[in-house]
Amino acid sequence: MPEPMTTDQAFLWSGSCAQCHVSGNAGAPVSGDTAAWQPRMTKGRETLLEHTIAGFKNMPPLGYCMACEEADFVTMIESMAGTRLTD
Amino acid sequence: MKLKRRDFIAGTLLAGVVARVEAVAGSTPWYNWSGHVNANPAHRLRPRSEAELAQMLTSATAPVRPVGSGHSFSPLVPTDGSLVTLDWLAGLRSVDEENMTATFGAGTRLMDIGPALQSYNQAPVNLPDIDRQTIAGAIATATHGTGQTLGGLSAYVTALKLATMDGEILSLSASDSPDIFNAARVSLGALGVVTEVTFQNRKAYRLKAKSEVITLEQALDHFDEEAAAHRHYELFPFLYSDYTIALTIDETTGDIDHPPLDPEEDAQFQDLMSLLMSTPAIARQPIIDAVVSDLPTTTVVDESYKILANIRNTRFNEMEYSVPAEAGAACLREIVRTVRDQKLDVVFPLEYRYVAADNTWLGMHSGEGVFAAISIHQLAGVDYQAYFDVIEPIFWKYGGRPHWGKVHSLGAAELKHLYPRFSDFQAIRQQLDREGKLLNAHLRRVFLD
């Protein structure tokens, strides 16, 4: 099981990723929808980090989280997907 | 194809390709919203309070650059030193119900202002049209909405707090250090880090927004009377077409009627943009005219802040200049003509609107009268340089001032002639940042001859 977000990470997530990953805006996989996340997670940690940081399709670079570092994004992705990222 | 105007405005991203910056060990790269501007900051500062920020600034590794949402297209933010984030300096802090003002943490996103004020029956007087920007980033660059009687966001700032490189927190207003206040209201993050902003608001209100397609010539022939007759009036001219979307917004007491964007229409928009991108520029007009002329007239009603500012899903790069309103139509016509004559490869519509003057020192609309703000865009991931290089001299010809947050090529040598208070701003900048620790490469070009 993935590590839960820290209080700080949850705060940052609510102000950034949650804007799309709760409502599903612009095709974003909804947080907790493991079926929607599964094909994304198969791309692996490096690819998903690259997409998150550099932007991918409708997702802007860093998902609007200017304060987030790579470790934060890993935890957020795993929390939304409900599973660990693989290398 | 039943697209609506909103689809062209909110849109769907084409698959732009952004090369990832090679990460520096221990550093998470930073990119702006379009992905075109990037950096590898050695340090990401995450202050949780003004006091913590002030302490951090005294020892931060230069260049020290504050960041909001990363929505600027100009390289105001890049640093290999210290990136200062404002996420914890956000939220509604206080409300003055008698005077209709409210104070927010500077890291508050514009999308959060309206809902926070709703329960106090207050609303922003006006808003820029992208809602994900932070207050600090928006006022730093004189970001603005539309309306010949309405100023940019900085015009409604009545007070602010500024953390300086010496570790002080300055409380500024028109009565408390007015010179620094008027400089700080539009300051590109070059005086310090804005931590808190107080806005003059008004009683909450609703707006009705009508979008329709008309010919550009018809729109420009009647622009002044329409801009005078309506609270907001804005055009989105299509290139390689005779048509423009005309957006008219007025106050209303009507019931809310604002359906969400249809994802299927989003997909249709993406298909259209893909088709246009694959069609030679000179052959696009029949396609654009056929689609655009078929767009229905639509009307939506909602709380003011939900009409004025929205999310943008289509990422792009943008150049915007503001020219005196009396020169606006001629400037716009020359841009449209030049794109066609030179067969420039662009599918993104232009934007044309009036903005009222303000008394900031470095706002694009500082001074008197009314300005015409004209924007050109290129899809993110598509090289914009050739297009922007051809159009930018047209803006200069009509006395334009570049939007601080958008692509431009001007430096101190040109900018000092565009702003009567430029040297006064410089004096304050040098006083507050003696060592120039807030200057990155772009700001050195903007401020240093």
Side-chain angles (χ1 to χ4, degrees):
Chain A
M1 285 293 288
E3 292 291 323
M5 286 190 247
T6 64
T7 304
D8 283 357
Q9 288 169 340
F11 171 75
L12 292 175
W13 178 84
S14 68
S16 56
C17 316
Q19 304 301 319
C20 293
H21 285 289
V22 168
S23 66
N25 175 54
V30 173
S31 180
D33 184 348
T34 52
W37 278 95
Q38 192 274 334
R40 276 100 170 169
M41 297 298 275
T42 61
K43 296 179 182 177
R45 175 193 169 108
E46 283 309 304
T47 298
L48 286 192
L49 273 178
E50 181 162 337
H51 288 176
T52 302
I53 292 170
F56 183 70
K57 295 187 178 179
N58 294 333
M59 180 168 63
L62 303 164
Y64 278 124
C65 186
M66 301 292 131
C68 288
E69 311 246 19
E70 282 198 7
D72 299 315
F73 288 128
V74 168
T75 302
M76 291 173 183
I77 292 168
E78 292 181 341
S79 178
M80 288 189 285
T83 186
R84 293 263 193 188
L85 279 164
T86 57
D87 287 334
Chain B
M1 184 181 288
K2 289 296 180 188
L3 296 175
K4 295 190 177 62
R5 188 277 308 174
R6 290 185 295 157
D7 299 295
F8 284 91
I9 310 307
T12 301
L13 174 72
L14 293 180
V17 175
V18 177
R20 187 182 175 185
V21 173
E22 200 57 43
V24 171
S27 163
T28 299
W30 175 85
Y31 293 84
N32 80 325
W33 178 70
S34 69
H36 186 76
V37 183
N38 53 65
N40 273 306
H43 309 282
R44 253 179 178 78
L45 306 185
R46 311 186 340 173
R48 291 151 188 275
S49 68
E50 285 173 349
E52 187 176 3
L53 169 63
Q55 181 61 36
M56 285 175 167
L57 291 179
T58 61
S59 59
T61 303
V64 179
R65 298 304 304 142
V67 63
S69 296
H71 260 277
S72 285
F73 305 101
S74 56
L76 291 166
V77 172
T79 175
D80 57 5
S82 304
L83 189 69
V84 182
T85 67
L86 304 177
D87 299 75
W88 274 274
L89 302 182
L92 178 64
R93 293 188 173 181
S94 63
V95 176
D96 181 338
E97 296 190 66
E98 181 180 352
N99 292 307
M100 285 269 175
T101 64
T103 300
F104 289 89
T108 307
R109 296 195 198 276
L110 301 186
M111 59 186 283
D112 294 325
I113 295 177
L117 295 179
Q118 188 83 44
S119 59
Y120 297 94
N121 197 26
Q122 288 188 27
V125 176
N126 200 6
L127 283 172
D129 49 354
I130 295 180
D131 67 356
R132 306 291 140 136
Q133 295 176 260
T134 62
I135 289 174
I139 68 170
T141 53
T143 298
H144 60 89
T146 303
Q148 71 173 29
T149 63
L150 302 169
L153 198 63
S154 299
Y156 302 101
V157 173
T158 62
L160 61 88
K161 289 188 177 178
L162 181 73
T164 71
M165 299 309 291
D166 287 340
E168 287 188 87
I169 303 290
L170 303 181
S171 292
L172 306 171
S173 69
S175 58
D176 199 345
S177 303
D179 281 353
I180 304 178
F181 172 66
N182 285 323
R185 283 195 287 157
V186 178
S187 51
L188 285 67
L191 300 184
V193 180
V194 175
T195 63
E196 182 180 281
V197 177
T198 301
F199 285 113
Q200 179 64 62
N201 302 312
R202 54 161 286 181
K203 187 177 171 187
Y205 59 109
R206 289 183 182 173
L207 292 172
K208 179 166 77 172
K210 173 185 164 188
S211 72
E212 62 181 332
V213 174
I214 56 178
T215 66
L216 180 59
E217 283 308 308
Q218 176 187 354
L220 289 179
D221 284 345
H222 298 282
F223 192 89
D224 282 356
E225 65 191 72
E226 294 293 334
H230 300 285
R231 192 177 196 263
H232 311 264
Y233 187 68
E234 183 172 6
L235 302 180
F236 298 90
F238 292 93
L239 294 165
Y240 298 102
S241 171
D242 295 328
Y243 293 103
T244 178
I245 286 173
L247 178 61
T248 308
I249 304 177
D250 289 294
E251 287 193 48
T252 182
T253 55
D255 293 335
I256 289 175
D257 179 14
H258 195 178
L261 285 171
D262 183 346
E264 186 177 319
E265 289 173 355
D266 259 4
Q268 289 179 341
F269 173 78
Q270 185 172 0
D271 290 344
L272 172 62
M273 298 299 270
S274 295
L275 173 62
L276 291 174
M277 292 285 286
S278 63
T279 303
I282 56 171
R284 287 175 189 160
Q285 177 146 4
I287 302 172
I288 298 174
D289 283 353
V291 171
V292 169
S293 60
D294 194 39
L295 288 175
T297 296
T298 59
T299 303
V300 295
V301 176
D302 211 330
E303 301 298 338
S304 57
Y305 57 89
K306 293 184 182 180
I307 295 291
L308 293 173
N310 305 100
I311 193 170
R312 289 290 182 276
N313 288 326
T314 299
R315 286 188 279 139
F316 51 82
N317 286 294
E318 182 175 347
M319 170 179 283
E320 177 188 310
Y321 270 73
S322 290
V323 303
E326 54 269 24
C331 183
L332 179 66
R333 285 187 170 107
E334 186 164 340
I335 290 170
V336 171
R337 189 167 60 245
T338 300
V339 168
R340 188 188 293 266
D341 290 349
Q342 299 201 23
K343 302 179 181 57
L344 298 176
D345 192 5
V346 54
V347 300
F348 221 100
L350 308 179
E351 195 169 356
Y352 183 79
R353 50 198 164 150
Y354 281 174
V355 186
D358 61 52
N359 63 350
T360 62
W361 283 10
L362 286 196
M364 296 86 65
H365 314 113
S366 60
E368 295 181 351
V370 178
F371 291 82
I374 305 172
S375 299
I376 63 175
H377 313 76
Q378 184 58 283
L379 288 164
V382 177
D383 184 12
Y384 64 75
Q385 202 65 55
Y387 173 33
F388 288 7
D389 284 350
V390 168
I391 302 301
E392 193 173 21
I394 299 175
F395 289 126
W396 300 338
K397 177 178 161 183
Y398 291 93
R401 290 170 171 166
H403 191 301
W404 292 114
K406 303 184 185 179
V407 176
H408 72 90
S409 66
L410 299 189
E414 298 86 18
L415 292 164
K416 66 186 179 185
H417 298 296
L418 295 177
Y419 291 97
R421 304 303 299 264
F422 194 80
S423 60
D424 295 327
F425 182 91
Q426 290 275 47
I428 288 179
R429 184 188 65 73
Q430 285 149 10
Q431 168 194 336
L432 293 177
D433 182 23
R434 288 181 304 279
E435 298 175 58
K437 294 179 73 175
L438 288 164
L439 300 180
N440 64 2
H442 177 69
L443 288 178
R444 281 195 291 277
R445 181 164 64 84
V446 166
F447 289 122
L448 306 181
D449 272 322

